Amino acid sequence: NAGVMQNPRHLVRRRGQEARLRCSPMKGHSHVYWYRQLPEEGLKFMVYLQKENIIDESGMPKERFSAEFPKEGPSILRIQQVVRGDSAAYFCASSPLAHTEAFFGQGTRLTVV
Amino acid sequence: AQTVTQSQPEMSVQEAETVTLSCTYDTSESDYYLFWYKQPPSRQMILVIRQEAYKQQNATENRFSVNFQKAAKSFSLKISDSQLGDAAMYFCAYRSADSGAGSYQLTFGKGTKLSVIP
C-alpha cells in the first residue's frame, strides 16, 4: 500500500505565476488535509477536504489559494499569482475516516523567485 | 485556541546517550491527543509516538518514551540509546479528541533540531 504521494517534490515559480501542488492519498483514504510549513516553523493547517467537498478551509489565505479534491484524481492545492512569501513546504496528509490518524506525504517545496 | 510550545530550538546528544525534548501546550479541553513527529532531512513527517490524554500511563515505542504531565500540560520525549539516524527535527503536536469541528486539525510546535554526535 503506497503512502501519500505528493508531486512535484520541488517546484520553482516566478512571481506572478501559478503553482499547482498534487496529492494522491493512501488507498482507501477519502479525507485529505493540507498543511504549510514556513521556514523555521512548524506545520500549520490550511484546509480539510473530503471527496468533492471542502469541509474546513479556515487556515487558507483568503485570496489566491484554492483547493479541490475531485471524485477522480488527486487533490490539488492551487496558488495563483505567487509571491515570495508563498515559498514554503506544503504537506498533504490523508486518513480513512474523519478524526482518525492522518498519514503525511513528503511535501512539496515551493520556491518563488 | 490551543498552542504548543517547544522551548529548545536545538539540542545535541552523544551517540548511545539519552536526551529529552520538551513540549508544553495550552488547552481548555480535557480530552485530546498528543504526538511527537520526526522530520529528517528527507522532509517526511514520521509519527514517533502518540499519547491519549485520558490514559495516565506514559506511551513507549522501543527507544522512545514520553513523560506526560496532564496537570502541568507538559509532554516531553525521551530518546534512549541515541543513534545517528535519530538526527532530525522533532515536532510536538496536539489534536482535540472532540468529534466536533477542528478536531482533525493538528497544532504543531516550532520544532527542536536534534543533532547526534558520533
Side-chain angles (χ1 to χ4, degrees):
Chain A
N1 189 5
V4 178
M5 303 301 291
Q6 290 188 248
N7 66 82
R9 288 291 317 274
H10 304 275
L11 182 62
V12 179
R13 285 287 178 265
R14 295 186 185 279
R15 280 179 292 172
Q17 290 185 319
E18 178 180 286
R20 279 181 177 249
L21 287 63
R22 293 174 183 78
C23 169
S24 295
M26 288 179 71
K27 188 176 181 181
H29 289 196
S30 58
H31 300 255
V32 165
Y33 317 83
W34 285 93
Y35 288 79
R36 178 165 66 174
Q37 184 179 28
L38 294 170
E40 312 298 324
E41 297 281 329
L43 281 69
K44 288 198 172 12
F45 171 81
M46 298 181 75
V47 62
Y48 163 36
L49 310 103
Q50 292 180 34
K51 282 286 187 181
E52 300 183 275
N53 290 303
I54 297 174
I55 306 302
D56 180 358
E57 55 182 349
S58 59
M60 288 273 273
K62 295 286 184 254
E63 297 178 350
R64 303 185 298 107
F65 285 72
S66 62
E68 63 178 13
F69 188 18
K71 188 176 180 181
E72 301 291 336
S75 175
I76 305 286
L77 179 67
R78 182 182 177 205
I79 312 172
Q80 294 179 291
Q81 299 175 328
V82 296
V83 301
R84 288 246 171 92
D86 297 333
S87 295
Y90 292 82
F91 287 87
C92 170
S94 73
S95 65
L97 299 168
H99 315 296
T100 57
E101 184 177 336
F103 296 84
F104 283 87
Q106 286 191 287
T108 293
R109 180 173 295 283
L110 172 66
T111 302
V112 179
V113 296
Chain B
Q2 294 81 19
T3 58
V4 176
T5 302
Q6 293 179 250
S7 58
Q8 306 153 317
E10 295 187 28
M11 292 279 287
S12 62
V13 62
Q14 206 78 31
E15 195 175 3
E17 296 294 308
T18 295
V19 64
T20 299
L21 308 184
S22 302
C23 172
T24 58
Y25 58 95
D26 189 25
T27 184
S28 59
E29 298 177 327
S30 59
D31 200 11
Y32 46 86
Y33 300 97
L34 295 165
F35 306 84
W36 279 98
Y37 282 88
K38 172 185 177 182
Q39 187 181 45
S42 68
R43 235 178 27 233
Q44 178 77 52
M45 292 291 286
I46 302 165
L47 178 63
V48 174
I49 200 165
R50 86 181 233 166
Q51 174 82 41
E52 289 92 342
Y54 67 87
K55 289 186 178 179
Q56 292 192 351
Q57 187 172 6
N58 290 324
T60 62
E61 284 289 339
N62 300 314
R63 297 182 295 107
F64 299 87
S65 61
V66 298
N67 183 3
F68 173 47
Q69 302 287 329
K70 191 173 184 179
K73 295 179 181 173
S74 170
F75 183 60
S76 60
L77 174 70
K78 185 170 85 171
I79 306 174
S80 304
D81 185 25
S82 296
Q83 301 174 1
L84 294 177
D86 295 333
M89 285 291 291
Y90 285 83
F91 292 95
C92 179
Y94 171 104
R95 196 184 92 207
S96 172
D98 184 350
S99 60
S103 62
Y104 38 77
Q105 291 184 28
L106 287 162
T107 300
F108 286 87
K110 290 191 175 184
T112 296
K113 183 177 181 180
L114 178 67
S115 301
V116 180
I117 303 164

